[in-house]
Every structure is written in structure tokens, then in C-alpha cells.
Amino acid sequence: MRATQIVLVLVCFLGIYAPMLFCANVEYDHRALVIDGKRRVLISGSIHYPRSTPEMWPDLIQKSKDGGLDVIETYVFWNLHEPVRGQYDFKGRKDLVKFVKVVAEAGLYVHIRIGPYVCAEWNYGGFPLWLHFIPGIKFRTDNEPFKAEMKRFTAKIVDIIKQEKLYASQGGPVILSQIENEYGNIDSHYGSAGKSYIKWAASMATSLDTGVPWVMCQQADAPDPIINTCNGFYCDQFTPNSNTKPKMWTENWSGWFLSFGGAVPYRPVEDLAFAVARFFQRGGTFQNYYMYHGGTNFDRSTGGPFIATSYDYDAPIDEYGIIRQPKWGHLKDVHKAIKLCEEALIATDPTITSLGPNLEAAVYKTGSVCSAFLANVGTKSDVTVNFSGNSYHLPAWSVSILPDCKNVVLNTAKINSASAISSFTTESSKDIGSSEASGSGWSWISEPVGISKTDSISKIGLLEQINTTADKSDYLWYSLSIDPKDDAGAQTVLHIESLGHALHTFINGQLAGSQAGNSDKAKITVDIPIKLAAGKNTIDLLSLTVGLQNYGAFFETSGAGITGPVILKGLKNGKTLDLSSKKWNYQVGLKGEELGLSGGSSGQWNSQSTFPKNQPLIWYKTNFAAPSGSNPVAIDFTGMGKGEAWVNGQSIGRYWPTYASPNAGCTDSCNYRGSYSSSKCRKNCGKPSQTLYHVPRSWLKPHGNTLVLFEESGGDPTQISFVTKQIQSLCAHVSDSHPSPVDLWNSDTESGTKVGPVMLLKCPHHNQVISSIKFASYGTPAGTCGNFYHGRCSSNKALSIVQKACIGSSSCSVGVSIDTFGDPCTGVTKSLAVEATCA
């Protein structure tokens, strides 16, 4: 053995990243990824490093591990890391290497999705805007300028990972990489050039010699050895393009994204668990949640357009880093149940048989090892089925998992996990400016209307916005002076057509009207009544973007801004005046941006004269103390219009609390049975899409913090408030037909006795105990967490039994049976519902 081999073996044996041994040979066969010669069933979850902070990463990743994940998946964001060609940034939230190392320290693997197109509801799909200006370039096709840039950045990321020895073949945690992203959804638009581009991308990626497999998602023709994978709400019917490749699911959408002007989407955990179990039932071995933690779109990183600042995604860990129950807990149980089947899953292919209409059994059996999945894919009726001589109750739209082909460890529709209600508590306003009319504690600067910077330009005709601003700012001023002559004093109409995304119209310095598009239609057509004065009149149009297009064929050609026509209507004698071809003056960005007002230290801030409220184009500043404690912090922007906010110079993103969702489209509850879509389950109709905006704790000092707002349309900053988020109540609702908790599977089967269903509660923080039982009922209770009520029958012992078992303890368990509570109503399926608080 050569010395180099001795060193390699020693590194592999010791492991670079405790506590998991990472040095691995990662391959694949038709069943699974093969790590050091062993097939693996892997549960993965997406966490995007720039959508949280480095201080949040360890806790997020530990909660992911505690939830049963083996792998963390993340995109790599080109425009974040190379905002100027050749100038790279990997600091702070952009520190990809640090993020990967934090994952490794927790003992988890990593899947790096380099793309470099990422979609991800991220600005411009992750591409830097300077790419758009390279001569002759066309994105994501067989185009030499694009391929050269794509290869350069991809190689850069691979080199960084290699230099840090982060690939599994080097002793690191990275077991997979992805090239391109969902190209198969749109490749038909590119014809033969699209097909040759995909072949090139595959060849380019594999030539970089990462030592781990590459994948392409949603790419049915992914060339060997690239693994083609599935994205979607369900992937049980997916089949890879070769019988030598495993069945992998790179994006199981745990919810959906929020748009400004849209209702809040959510996905019931019973349906999500059903989708996961069905995937493994039908031969899958790698499944990733998109997202497991969604996080926050800080700065101007949102895509869309009109993607909201919150990227919560109804994920198992919420935007603030708090576990979302029962989603996190029920999925944890699903993961444990699947891992109990791993030996059988990796040993053979499933044998799938029908048990009747909409009923299906899948059996994995080899030698003495046997695991089974029983599915009822019907949406209407619960069914009792016979399988291997035993009867099993299958609720509609559910899967039962039998690790030993006999005993049910879990049914996806029956939740053993506790649920939780979270709430926001408003902090005292004494340290965040004043709510008094004087505005004491706030200072301000008025943003000039129209052209105020020395770098303005003049052009004949109307300019498209993105080509003009290069996305250096959301804002572009279009300014024009006209003399109406004989039409002075007349009531006229200014007709404006814009590609979007929003518009504020000023006539002679006064706001005359505003208009915004929406996520379905960014384009704007507006008619604004105006009255022109005698002599010179100034028309100043402030056009703004709300995140650039991030998806679709040729998305880079989607424009923005006022491309016309702009027409004065209703002049004397019915005449119109087309202003489109006049000489317009243009200003990219705001004067306040040029002055660096967002940092709060520069500029001549005014605190003496009358405080401006509900006026457009105002910069506001105040100082505040951080809310006490350690609970996550947000700002409630109720009272403001639209703009952007900075805390200690760091942008918490765009705020837009006045943009409400339509009144229709929401329901009080959502039936999890039946196929999910992004519009199926929505809440918050008729209300603002987002009023609360996350402020990471790590951005705050105990005292002397600076908050800066730029308000476009008009608002009252004295109405905003700081809030903290906490768990208000814990709940559980377990029937006497539920399986025993998954954690009791081994003791249950080995002892030969049936433990039966158990109600479990556990306080969210280690220093808390259960302080009160707000509700307890055994019998036929109904309702949901926070709104339970007694049914027709209820044991009079329930409250005292639960209080005795739980109060004063950080966790408790109570058997759900008539042995515990007596039988308040014979012949009826009974359940125990409990609501508790921790302190």
C-alpha cells in the first residue's frame, strides 16, 4: 500500500466531520443510491441557506435531523454569489461552505443543486442580470456565450466544494449534485437546440469529476449516467428513464408559495404523508421535501413577479424556525415507519397487487424479511380489507405501513403527533418611536418626485425597464414636461399601458393615482383623471418591479416598465395626444438609494417640522430596543402602504400590507382526501397577503437598533409594532382505533403485547413544563386545536386523569382506552382530545 493510500484510508476511518463517517463511494443501481456498497433509503429536506441566517442554521438542521431527515438539499444561487461578473461573494447568509459544514456537523448528508438555473421563486431564476447583457446570449439553450458562462460558474462551485473536501469521495457530506432544473417542463419550446443543450449540460457536469452522482429533475431524456428525478405533489407513478436508475423524488411540495395579492396556501399533513408513503410503496427510495424550512426572501431576492417576502411554504419548520405541528411530528412518524421497512425496501422490488377498487397492496419480501404497504386511494369511503388472512381498516386516501407484513405501525390519515397553536404577542411600543400624532421618535426625509440625480438620461420614446435599470433598483422614473396650451384647466385622462409590475403617477408633483398588477397578470392598463395647469406641466411616472420573472421558456425576455402607449385623452374637440414618442427623461433608482439612507446614518434626517403621515415617497427612521426574550421577532406593518424596510442596515425585504387577497377561494377547512393542487387549500381570503415580516434575532442588539423604511404610497409608521412568536397551546386528538406510537414498535412486537393508542404531549422548550389543561374529553369530542368541544358522550374522569398525568411535567402520555377512562358510551368509537399550555 502506497503512502497516499494509507493517508486516504486513515482520513476515511477517522471521518472529517463527526459524528457521521462520511468518506464514501456513492453510486446507484435500479433500487437506490448505494453508499459504500450499501443501498440506502434516504429522507431529505430543502433548506435554502440565504433564506435564513447562519445563526439559525444549526437549530434548523438539528430540528431536521430530529424530524428524521438524512439529507439536506439546497440550491446554489448564482446572482447571490456573483452579482458582478468575476466578483464573488460567499459571506454571511451567502456562505455556502459554512452551511454545508454545519449540516455535516449534525451528521447529515447534503445534496447541492447547482443548476445554475434554480427557479425557486427567486429573482430572475437565480441568474445574474449581467448575463442578460452579454452579446449574442440566449439562456438555457445550445448557445455558446451562455454555455461558457454556465460552465464557468458550475466549475467554480464544484472547485469550492472540492477545495474544502466536502464531496463524499473526499470525506465530506455531499452525496449528490444537480445540473439544470425542470428543463423538461419547457424544453419543447427550444426544439433541437434544447436537446443538444441537455446533452452538453450532462457531459459538462460529469466532466467535473465530483465523485458523486448527478441528477436532473423533470428531465425524462436525461443522458446516462445522469439520474432523472421527479418533482411534484405526487411522484408514486414516476418511472426513471432507465432500469439501471433509482426512483428519486427531488421536490415533494410540502405546501406552496405565497404571492402578494394572494391567499395563503397550505397542504394538510394527511395528504403529504399519503404522498410520501405511496412513493415508497411503489418503489421509491429517495424523497425530498420542498421545502422543509422555507424561510424569508430578504432584500430584493423574490422572483415571480409578486412573490411575497415570506417563503414559509407551509413547511414542517416554519419561516421563523418553529416546528409546525402536527406536520413535523406526523412526518417524523412516517419517516420512522418507513425506516422500519428499510431492510426489505432495499432488498427487492415491490410486488403490487389489487385488493379491490382503489385498493392496493405492495409487498417487499426476501427470505425472512417482509414489509408491506396497504393503500386506499379512494377519496370517499373508508374500507376494511383482507390481506394475508388478516383484516385491516383503511381510511379513504391513506396508506397503512406494516414493517413485518402483519402489524400496522402507522396509517397516514391517523395522526398520533401533537398539534400546536402559535400566536404573536405585540411588544410595548415605548422603545420603537411613539404612537402619538407628533411622531416623536421618528425622523424622515422626503424622496424627490421625478428627476433628482445627476446621472439621469434623456431618450426619445419609452424605454423598457429591466434593460434600463439592470435591476440595480426596483424603481425607474419616467419624466416629461408638456404645455397643454388651449387645454389648460380641462379635465383630461392620462392613459398608461405598462408591462408592470406597479406604477405611481405624479402630476405636477402630486400623486394622481397608483396601480399594480398581480401574479397572474403583471401588465397594467390604467386611466387616471387629471387636470392640467396653464403653462408647463410635469408628468412623473414611477414604475417599479416586484421581483423578476423566474420560470418559463425564454423567461429572460419578459420585460417590465412603461412601454406604452401613454396617451392624453379627453382634450378639446375630442382630441388625444400620444406622449409615447416624446423625449422622456429617465432616472434609475431613488435619490435616497444613492445617498445610502437605508443604513440610517447618512442624510439630513428631519425631526422638527410636521411629521408626514400617509404621504408618498417618504423615508422614515427610528431607533428601538430588541424585544426581550428569545422568541422569534417580526414587524407588523399594518398602517403602512408599500415599500422596503431595513434593520441595522440589513433589508428584511419588501413590505406590502395593503395588498389583499380576493374574497373568494378559501374554505373553513380543507378535505385532505383527493389530489392536492396549489389552489385547493387556502386561507386568509379578503385579508392582506402578508402583514408580518421576519426580523432575525441575530440582526438585533439589545438596544440602539435602527429601523429605516422607504414608503412609496403613503402610510403611518407610528402604527407599526414589533411582535414575537410563541407556542400558545399544545393539542392531541387520538382515537382508540389509532396505532400505537411508532416509537413503541420494537417493545410492542418483542413483548408480544399490544400497547394500544397513546396520547402524547411534550413542551416545545426543554425548560418548560405543562402548566394547565385547558380541555380534556374522552368520548366523542369534536373540533380542532383551540376549539375542541364535548360530544354527545364524555367521560367525567378525563380532565382529572390528564391533569394528574401531565401537569408539572415537560411531557406526558396517557393510554387512550376504556381501561383508562371507563366507557362513557358503549359500541361507539371513542377518542381523547386534549389542549394544554406550557410555561
Side-chain angles (χ1 to χ4, degrees):
M1 182 180 287
R2 295 192 300 270
T4 53
Q5 292 176 304
I6 295 171
V7 170
L8 177 61
V9 170
L10 197 58
V11 169
C12 291
F13 180 78
L14 294 175
I16 293 176
Y17 302 102
M20 180 179 277
L21 179 66
F22 281 118
C23 195
N25 178 31
V26 184
E27 301 172 311
Y28 63 83
D29 62 19
H30 83 287
R31 281 299 298 130
L33 289 179
V34 180
I35 301 177
D36 279 344
K38 183 180 179 181
R39 290 174 177 169
R40 294 291 304 275
V41 169
L42 296 171
I43 309 292
S44 175
S46 291
I47 299 176
H48 296 158
Y49 52 97
R51 284 176 158 144
S52 54
T53 65
E55 291 78 10
M56 294 174 67
W57 294 343
D59 182 62
L60 294 173
I61 292 161
Q62 186 60 49
K63 287 173 178 173
S64 301
K65 182 178 182 178
D66 293 344
L69 297 196
D70 306 294
V71 184
I72 300 296
E73 183 177 286
T74 185
Y75 280 126
V76 178
F77 300 87
W78 190 354
N79 55 9
L80 194 73
H81 295 302
E82 195 179 8
V84 178
R85 190 178 187 277
Q87 297 181 20
Y88 296 98
D89 187 353
F90 290 93
K91 299 187 293 293
R93 290 184 297 111
K94 307 168 189 178
D95 195 339
L96 171 63
V97 166
K98 181 176 181 177
F99 178 77
V100 172
K101 288 181 177 180
V102 172
V103 176
E105 287 163 4
L108 301 183
Y109 293 120
V110 177
H111 177 196
I112 291 185
R113 307 175 76 189
I114 300 176
Y117 165 73
V118 298
C119 184
E121 292 72 59
W122 190 268
N123 194 48
Y124 215 45
F127 286 147
L129 244 293
W130 54 258
L131 203 64
H132 174 72
F133 296 101
I134 291 177
I137 200 165
K138 292 182 180 179
F139 290 6
R140 303 177 75 198
T141 188
D142 194 358
N143 172 267
E144 293 306 320
F146 177 76
K147 291 192 298 183
E149 293 300 321
M150 175 174 166
K151 181 177 181 179
R152 183 180 59 81
F153 180 74
T154 304
K156 172 75 174 179
I157 298 302
V158 168
D159 286 346
I160 288 171
I161 302 302
K162 282 184 177 180
Q163 287 168 16
E164 296 289 336
K165 293 183 169 45
L166 294 174
Y167 281 110
S169 55
Q170 303 172 293
V174 180
I175 59 169
L176 283 172
S177 293
Q178 179 178 301
I179 195 70
E180 249 300 333
N181 189 54
E182 294 186 332
Y183 190 68
N185 293 351
I186 49 100
D187 60 4
S188 61
H189 296 275
Y190 295 87
S192 60
K195 292 187 178 300
S196 57
Y197 163 67
I198 280 298
K199 290 178 181 177
W200 168 85
S203 176
M204 180 271 290
T206 54
S207 73
L208 297 175
D209 192 25
T210 62
V212 302
W214 287 86
V215 304
M216 283 182 173
C217 61
Q218 296 295 92
Q219 195 65 48
D221 61 349
D224 293 343
I226 307 292
I227 306 169
N228 65 304
T229 66
C230 183
N231 292 355
F233 291 117
Y234 309 94
C235 281
D236 50 284
Q237 300 300 316
F238 168 75
T239 303
N241 65 13
S242 166
N243 59 13
T244 64
K245 298 176 183 178
K247 181 172 179 173
M248 298 176 63
W249 192 358
T250 36
E251 291 188 16
N252 178 0
W253 301 325
S254 58
W256 202 243
F257 56 82
L258 174 67
S259 296
F260 284 125
V264 178
Y266 64 98
R267 187 178 185 186
V269 68
E270 297 95 331
D271 173 67
L272 184 55
F274 170 79
V276 173
R278 285 285 288 161
F279 179 71
F280 287 98
Q281 175 180 5
R282 296 187 63 87
T285 50
F286 179 102
Q287 188 266 166
N288 176 77
Y289 296 101
Y290 187 101
M291 302 292 294
Y292 200 75
H293 164 73
T296 306
N297 291 314
F298 299 113
D299 301 305
R300 298 167 52 244
S301 61
T302 63
F306 296 99
I307 300 298
T309 299
S310 171
Y311 200 67
D312 180 85
Y313 222 89
D314 197 37
I317 304 173
D318 75 9
E319 176 180 5
Y320 298 87
I322 295 175
I323 287 171
R324 173 174 276 115
Q325 295 284 39
K327 183 169 273 191
W328 182 89
H330 189 44
L331 293 176
K332 177 181 180 178
D333 288 344
V334 172
H335 305 155
K336 287 182 177 179
I338 289 167
K339 287 303 183 80
L340 288 170
C341 305
E342 181 170 15
E343 186 178 358
L345 287 171
I346 62 175
T348 185
D349 295 309
T351 299
I352 297 174
T353 58
S354 172
L355 301 177
N358 295 319
L359 301 171
E360 185 178 277
V363 177
Y364 293 84
K365 181 173 175 58
T366 177
S368 62
V369 177
C370 185
S371 293
F373 295 74
L374 308 181
N376 179 359
V377 299
T379 61
K380 303 294 184 185
S381 302
D382 296 358
V383 179
T384 298
V385 301
N386 185 278
F387 172 73
S388 293
N390 294 308
S391 293
Y392 298 90
H393 178 74
L394 289 177
W397 204 253
S398 78
V399 177
S400 284
I401 300 175
L402 291 66
D404 59 358
C405 282
K406 182 179 179 182
N407 295 290
V408 175
V409 67
L410 178 139
N411 177 273
T412 58
K414 295 184 176 182
I415 300 172
N416 272 324
S417 171
S419 55
I421 300 174
S422 60
S423 63
F424 286 92
T425 301
T426 302
E427 298 295 308
S428 169
S429 62
K430 59 183 172 61
D431 292 323
I432 55 169
S434 169
S435 59
E436 298 176 5
S438 66
S440 175
W442 287 90
S443 54
W444 65 94
I445 294 176
S446 295
E447 175 69 26
V449 173
I451 307 301
S452 60
K453 295 165 58 181
T454 58
D455 60 355
S456 64
I457 59 172
S458 298
K459 294 283 185 180
I460 299 294
L462 296 165
L463 299 180
E464 190 278 327
Q465 183 163 346
I466 300 170
N467 281 311
T468 307
T469 65
D471 199 37
K472 300 296 185 188
S473 170
D474 281 356
Y475 304 101
L476 179 63
W477 281 106
Y478 296 69
S479 185
L480 178 70
S481 293
I482 61 170
D483 187 340
K485 297 181 180 176
D486 294 341
D487 290 290
Q491 188 71 44
T492 61
V493 171
L494 183 62
H495 174 87
I496 306 169
E497 294 186 23
S498 168
L499 298 177
H501 307 144
L503 168 71
H504 302 298
T505 299
F506 295 82
I507 305 297
N508 296 324
Q510 300 300 308
L511 181 63
S514 298
Q515 187 71 29
N518 57 54
S519 58
D520 294 325
K521 184 182 178 183
K523 291 182 179 180
I524 301 165
T525 299
V526 62
D527 289 294
I528 300 174
I530 64 172
K531 184 175 287 188
L532 297 175
K536 187 174 102 172
N537 288 258
T538 302
I539 299 173
D540 292 301
L541 309 178
L542 182 58
S543 176
L544 53 128
T545 53
V546 191
L548 303 189
Q549 189 78 23
N550 62 261
Y551 182 76
F554 312 107
F555 75 86
E556 73 276 13
T557 63
S558 298
I562 303 161
T563 53
V566 176
I567 301 171
L568 267 178
K569 296 180 177 179
L571 300 175
K572 288 183 179 178
N573 302 319
K575 293 186 300 180
T576 63
L577 177 62
D578 191 339
L579 305 177
S580 308
S581 58
K582 300 288 186 182
K583 187 174 185 180
W584 290 80
N585 296 313
Y586 296 91
Q587 176 182 298
V588 174
L590 307 171
K591 185 66 173 178
E593 290 176 316
E594 182 182 62
L595 294 174
L597 297 187
S598 61
S601 57
S602 58
Q604 299 297 312
W605 294 89
N606 183 354
S607 57
Q608 301 302 316
S609 56
T610 303
F611 183 65
K613 295 182 182 180
N614 302 311
Q615 295 182 25
L617 305 185
I618 305 290
W619 293 83
Y620 295 104
K621 183 179 75 166
T622 194
N623 295 321
F624 66 96
S628 59
S630 58
N631 288 329
V633 178
I635 299 177
D636 184 340
F637 274 93
T638 301
M640 299 301 289
K642 180 186 180 300
E644 189 173 353
W646 296 262
V647 170
N648 295 329
Q650 301 201 66
S651 172
I652 65 170
R654 300 182 184 94
Y655 65 83
W656 203 349
T658 54
Y659 206 162
S661 63
N663 289 317
C666 294
T667 55
D668 291 336
S669 62
C670 183
N671 184 357
Y672 69 84
R673 302 166 184 86
S675 294
Y676 181 80
S677 69
S678 60
S679 60
K680 180 180 179 181
C681 305
R682 291 180 176 267
K683 57 188 177 182
N684 217 43
C685 283
K687 298 177 181 178
S689 300
Q690 185 178 355
T691 57
L692 300 171
Y693 295 78
H694 181 209
V695 181
R697 274 277 181 188
S698 60
W699 292 5
L700 299 175
K701 302 173 289 186
H703 299 279
N705 299 284
T706 301
L707 172 65
V708 174
L709 316 175
F710 173 66
E711 173 58 47
E712 295 171 16
S713 55
D716 181 359
T718 67
Q719 298 301 307
I720 71 169
S721 58
F722 281 82
V723 297
T724 56
K725 189 174 188 181
Q726 54 276 312
I727 301 299
Q728 177 181 320
S729 293
L730 293 177
C731 297
H733 194 177
V734 179
S735 76
D736 53 18
S737 67
H738 272 55
S740 305
V742 179
D743 286 340
L744 300 180
W745 170 261
N746 286 334
S747 60
D748 195 0
T749 54
E750 288 171 5
S751 66
T753 60
K754 287 286 184 182
V755 174
V758 177
M759 185 280 301
L760 301 169
L761 291 177
K762 183 178 181 180
C763 291
H765 301 294
H766 64 85
N767 59 345
Q768 291 181 316
V769 296
I770 297 168
S771 56
S772 69
I773 304 298
K774 298 172 71 175
F775 180 91
S777 177
Y778 177 74
T780 57
T784 57
C785 187
N787 294 291
F788 286 134
Y789 55 92
H790 295 281
R792 287 181 297 174
C793 81
S794 179
S795 168
N796 56 16
K797 304 177 183 178
L799 182 60
S800 60
I801 289 172
V802 174
Q803 286 175 329
K804 183 178 179 180
C806 297
I807 288 181
S809 300
S810 61
S811 63
C812 64
S813 62
V814 178
V816 181
S817 71
I818 57 175
D819 294 337
T820 306
F821 297 99
D823 193 346
C825 41
T826 58
V828 176
T829 298
K830 290 168 279 293
S831 64
L832 172 64
V834 176
E835 180 179 354
T837 57
C838 293

